[in-house]
Amino acid sequence: MPALSLVALVSLVSTVFAKQLDAYPPQQQHRHWAQICSGNAINKIRGCDRYGCGYFGADRHGGKGKHGKHGKHGKHMGVDVICADGATVYAPFSGQLSGPIRFFHNGNAIDDGVQISYCVKLVCIHPIRYHGQIRRGQQLGRMLPMQRVFPGIISHIHVENCDHSDPTPLLTPDSPPFPQQDTHWAIVCSGNPTNELRGCDRYGCGYYGAPRRNGKGKHTGVDVICADGATVYAPFSGELSGPIKFFHNGNTIDDGVQLRGSGFCVKLICIHPIRYNGRISKGQILGKMLPMQRVFPGITSHIHIENCDHSDPTSNLERGKGQ
């Protein structure tokens, strides 16, 4: 049998590769996609609100028409992955970017998005770029301010396969991204083994959503009780970055650090970390509580803990089960 010429060999390899790519496109090579939005480690899909439902095939316009370009016959041709306004968005798989994607075609505050081949459209996000390669799990962009356009909706990324097939099975992790027992964080402060939250004092209350600025604002974190000078521990394993300046006035408690990892991203404020960068393990010493009494005499001294996407961290802190 004569040897194949170089041209014929290259042609044969290209044909085989193309067939394999068709059979196993990049979006399928990982049977389950990576986390898409910070604060939503399991790619939870939007349920129903007064604007509609987020699952694949949900009715649009009473089943009589299209919702934007959602699909034929008044059906939702994608899924809506819950994502808080401003949250970080990640690539679900590796591929080639192209865009921008205009979904509403009206220039509103959320009319942006990008496509990753082969081949998914992510809409209502602002990508860091519209072209080039991106890796699975790499930062893709940020969630746009959906509440400005649809007040009270469950903010979400619209995720749609280019062939209008159902992406739901790929969005569901084959196993949780962290062991179930690790959904509860470690003890954050020595002397507070249950991560007890600050109650109310003359300076305010420490629970999530508590009034701020005479009722004109809301508390977007929680306050974990911690005595001045106490040892502070990492609630979960991850990567440090900082410093975080909360008050921006140089007072004695204006210090903190961000911790990202294990499916979480938080800011810990009013502490002095032992370092601002590098890896840290769950339960490892993170730093010490700063002298809050010097700034707010009589307050219940505490660490302010805030999720990067401004979601409520209370359930992760409960009882310090992760210790």
PDB file of all heavy atoms in Angstrom, residues 297-312:
ATOM      1  N   PRO A 297     -16.927  54.062  70.639  1.00  0.00           N
ATOM      2  CA  PRO A 297     -16.979  53.614  72.042  1.00  0.00           C
ATOM      3  C   PRO A 297     -18.346  53.030  72.407  1.00  0.00           C
ATOM      4  O   PRO A 297     -19.386  53.638  72.121  1.00  0.00           O
ATOM      5  CB  PRO A 297     -16.702  54.901  72.838  1.00  0.00           C
ATOM      6  CG  PRO A 297     -15.988  55.800  71.866  1.00  0.00           C
ATOM      7  CD  PRO A 297     -16.559  55.477  70.522  1.00  0.00           C
ATOM      8  N   GLY A 298     -18.346  51.844  72.994  1.00  0.00           N
ATOM      9  CA  GLY A 298     -19.574  51.206  73.442  1.00  0.00           C
ATOM     10  C   GLY A 298     -20.263  50.341  72.406  1.00  0.00           C
ATOM     11  O   GLY A 298     -21.245  49.660  72.723  1.00  0.00           O
ATOM     12  N   ILE A 299     -19.771  50.317  71.163  1.00  0.00           N
ATOM     13  CA  ILE A 299     -20.355  49.452  70.143  1.00  0.00           C
ATOM     14  C   ILE A 299     -20.059  47.992  70.466  1.00  0.00           C
ATOM     15  O   ILE A 299     -19.140  47.694  71.245  1.00  0.00           O
ATOM     16  CB  ILE A 299     -19.788  49.812  68.744  1.00  0.00           C
ATOM     17  CG1 ILE A 299     -20.688  49.289  67.620  1.00  0.00           C
ATOM     18  CG2 ILE A 299     -18.351  49.288  68.586  1.00  0.00           C
ATOM     19  CD1 ILE A 299     -20.316  49.798  66.234  1.00  0.00           C
ATOM     20  N   THR A 300     -20.833  47.053  69.947  1.00  0.00           N
ATOM     21  CA  THR A 300     -20.482  45.635  70.012  1.00  0.00           C
ATOM     22  C   THR A 300     -19.395  45.398  68.968  1.00  0.00           C
ATOM     23  O   THR A 300     -19.665  45.428  67.763  1.00  0.00           O
ATOM     24  CB  THR A 300     -21.696  44.740  69.713  1.00  0.00           C
ATOM     25  OG1 THR A 300     -22.770  45.078  70.594  1.00  0.00           O
ATOM     26  CG2 THR A 300     -21.334  43.266  69.874  1.00  0.00           C
ATOM     27  N   SER A 301     -18.165  45.227  69.399  1.00  0.00           N
ATOM     28  CA  SER A 301     -17.053  45.085  68.451  1.00  0.00           C
ATOM     29  C   SER A 301     -17.303  43.900  67.529  1.00  0.00           C
ATOM     30  O   SER A 301     -17.790  42.844  67.967  1.00  0.00           O
ATOM     31  CB  SER A 301     -15.735  44.912  69.192  1.00  0.00           C
ATOM     32  OG  SER A 301     -15.357  46.119  69.815  1.00  0.00           O
ATOM     33  N   HIS A 302     -16.940  44.061  66.258  1.00  0.00           N
ATOM     34  CA  HIS A 302     -17.306  43.043  65.275  1.00  0.00           C
ATOM     35  C   HIS A 302     -16.456  43.152  64.016  1.00  0.00           C
ATOM     36  O   HIS A 302     -15.874  44.200  63.724  1.00  0.00           O
ATOM     37  CB  HIS A 302     -18.779  43.202  64.883  1.00  0.00           C
ATOM     38  CG  HIS A 302     -19.062  44.542  64.251  1.00  0.00           C
ATOM     39  ND1 HIS A 302     -19.443  45.642  65.007  1.00  0.00           N
ATOM     40  CD2 HIS A 302     -19.014  44.973  62.958  1.00  0.00           C
ATOM     41  CE1 HIS A 302     -19.618  46.679  64.207  1.00  0.00           C
ATOM     42  NE2 HIS A 302     -19.363  46.306  62.957  1.00  0.00           N
ATOM     43  N   ILE A 303     -16.432  42.040  63.269  1.00  0.00           N
ATOM     44  CA  ILE A 303     -15.878  42.003  61.918  1.00  0.00           C
ATOM     45  C   ILE A 303     -17.046  42.167  60.951  1.00  0.00           C
ATOM     46  O   ILE A 303     -18.041  41.434  61.045  1.00  0.00           O
ATOM     47  CB  ILE A 303     -15.178  40.666  61.633  1.00  0.00           C
ATOM     48  CG1 ILE A 303     -14.086  40.394  62.656  1.00  0.00           C
ATOM     49  CG2 ILE A 303     -14.617  40.624  60.209  1.00  0.00           C
ATOM     50  CD1 ILE A 303     -13.608  38.950  62.652  1.00  0.00           C
ATOM     51  N   HIS A 304     -16.918  43.104  60.039  1.00  0.00           N
ATOM     52  CA  HIS A 304     -17.933  43.242  58.989  1.00  0.00           C
ATOM     53  C   HIS A 304     -17.568  42.270  57.867  1.00  0.00           C
ATOM     54  O   HIS A 304     -16.459  42.317  57.309  1.00  0.00           O
ATOM     55  CB  HIS A 304     -17.965  44.677  58.461  1.00  0.00           C
ATOM     56  CG  HIS A 304     -18.883  44.867  57.295  1.00  0.00           C
ATOM     57  ND1 HIS A 304     -20.255  44.959  57.438  1.00  0.00           N
ATOM     58  CD2 HIS A 304     -18.633  44.953  55.959  1.00  0.00           C
ATOM     59  CE1 HIS A 304     -20.800  45.121  56.241  1.00  0.00           C
ATOM     60  NE2 HIS A 304     -19.842  45.113  55.322  1.00  0.00           N
ATOM     61  N   ILE A 305     -18.493  41.356  57.542  1.00  0.00           N
ATOM     62  CA  ILE A 305     -18.265  40.359  56.492  1.00  0.00           C
ATOM     63  C   ILE A 305     -19.299  40.578  55.399  1.00  0.00           C
ATOM     64  O   ILE A 305     -20.506  40.579  55.649  1.00  0.00           O
ATOM     65  CB  ILE A 305     -18.372  38.930  57.055  1.00  0.00           C
ATOM     66  CG1 ILE A 305     -17.272  38.703  58.100  1.00  0.00           C
ATOM     67  CG2 ILE A 305     -18.273  37.896  55.931  1.00  0.00           C
ATOM     68  CD1 ILE A 305     -17.248  37.324  58.693  1.00  0.00           C
ATOM     69  N   GLU A 306     -18.807  40.752  54.190  1.00  0.00           N
ATOM     70  CA  GLU A 306     -19.677  41.105  53.074  1.00  0.00           C
ATOM     71  C   GLU A 306     -19.344  40.241  51.856  1.00  0.00           C
ATOM     72  O   GLU A 306     -18.182  40.180  51.427  1.00  0.00           O
ATOM     73  CB  GLU A 306     -19.482  42.584  52.729  1.00  0.00           C
ATOM     74  CG  GLU A 306     -20.398  43.109  51.664  1.00  0.00           C
ATOM     75  CD  GLU A 306     -20.284  44.624  51.531  1.00  0.00           C
ATOM     76  OE1 GLU A 306     -20.415  45.338  52.563  1.00  0.00           O
ATOM     77  OE2 GLU A 306     -20.054  45.097  50.400  1.00  0.00           O
ATOM     78  N   ASN A 307     -20.327  39.535  51.314  1.00  0.00           N
ATOM     79  CA  ASN A 307     -20.118  38.806  50.072  1.00  0.00           C
ATOM     80  C   ASN A 307     -19.837  39.793  48.937  1.00  0.00           C
ATOM     81  O   ASN A 307     -20.435  40.872  48.878  1.00  0.00           O
ATOM     82  CB  ASN A 307     -21.347  37.963  49.725  1.00  0.00           C
ATOM     83  CG  ASN A 307     -21.398  36.654  50.483  1.00  0.00           C
ATOM     84  OD1 ASN A 307     -20.393  36.182  51.007  1.00  0.00           O
ATOM     85  ND2 ASN A 307     -22.578  36.054  50.559  1.00  0.00           N
ATOM     86  N   CYS A 308     -18.939  39.412  48.045  1.00  0.00           N
ATOM     87  CA  CYS A 308     -18.557  40.303  46.945  1.00  0.00           C
ATOM     88  C   CYS A 308     -19.739  40.646  46.050  1.00  0.00           C
ATOM     89  O   CYS A 308     -19.748  41.702  45.410  1.00  0.00           O
ATOM     90  CB  CYS A 308     -17.432  39.680  46.131  1.00  0.00           C
ATOM     91  SG  CYS A 308     -15.910  39.392  47.085  1.00  0.00           S
ATOM     92  N   ASP A 309     -20.734  39.755  45.978  1.00  0.00           N
ATOM     93  CA  ASP A 309     -21.911  40.031  45.147  1.00  0.00           C
ATOM     94  C   ASP A 309     -23.060  40.608  45.972  1.00  0.00           C
ATOM     95  O   ASP A 309     -24.177  40.726  45.480  1.00  0.00           O
ATOM     96  CB  ASP A 309     -22.364  38.773  44.407  1.00  0.00           C
ATOM     97  CG  ASP A 309     -22.820  37.659  45.345  1.00  0.00           C
ATOM     98  OD1 ASP A 309     -22.782  37.856  46.582  1.00  0.00           O
ATOM     99  OD2 ASP A 309     -23.208  36.585  44.851  1.00  0.00           O
ATOM    100  N   HIS A 310     -22.784  40.952  47.231  1.00  0.00           N
ATOM    101  CA  HIS A 310     -23.749  41.576  48.139  1.00  0.00           C
ATOM    102  C   HIS A 310     -24.903  40.655  48.526  1.00  0.00           C
ATOM    103  O   HIS A 310     -25.930  41.126  49.029  1.00  0.00           O
ATOM    104  CB  HIS A 310     -24.295  42.881  47.567  1.00  0.00           C
ATOM    105  CG  HIS A 310     -23.243  43.906  47.278  1.00  0.00           C
ATOM    106  ND1 HIS A 310     -22.328  44.307  48.223  1.00  0.00           N
ATOM    107  CD2 HIS A 310     -22.938  44.588  46.137  1.00  0.00           C
ATOM    108  CE1 HIS A 310     -21.521  45.198  47.695  1.00  0.00           C
ATOM    109  NE2 HIS A 310     -21.853  45.381  46.426  1.00  0.00           N
ATOM    110  N   SER A 311     -24.781  39.340  48.294  1.00  0.00           N
ATOM    111  CA  SER A 311     -25.788  38.400  48.783  1.00  0.00           C
ATOM    112  C   SER A 311     -25.595  38.186  50.286  1.00  0.00           C
ATOM    113  O   SER A 311     -24.607  38.618  50.875  1.00  0.00           O
ATOM    114  CB  SER A 311     -25.695  37.079  48.021  1.00  0.00           C
ATOM    115  OG  SER A 311     -24.409  36.491  48.182  1.00  0.00           O
ATOM    116  N   ASP A 312     -26.533  37.488  50.908  1.00  0.00           N
ATOM    117  CA  ASP A 312     -26.560  37.320  52.360  1.00  0.00           C
ATOM    118  C   ASP A 312     -25.675  36.145  52.790  1.00  0.00           C
ATOM    119  O   ASP A 312     -25.941  34.994  52.426  1.00  0.00           O
ATOM    120  CB  ASP A 312     -28.008  37.074  52.799  1.00  0.00           C
ATOM    121  CG  ASP A 312     -28.170  37.010  54.311  1.00  0.00           C
ATOM    122  OD1 ASP A 312     -27.171  37.128  55.034  1.00  0.00           O
ATOM    123  OD2 ASP A 312     -29.324  36.844  54.761  1.00  0.00           O
TER     124      ASP A 312
END
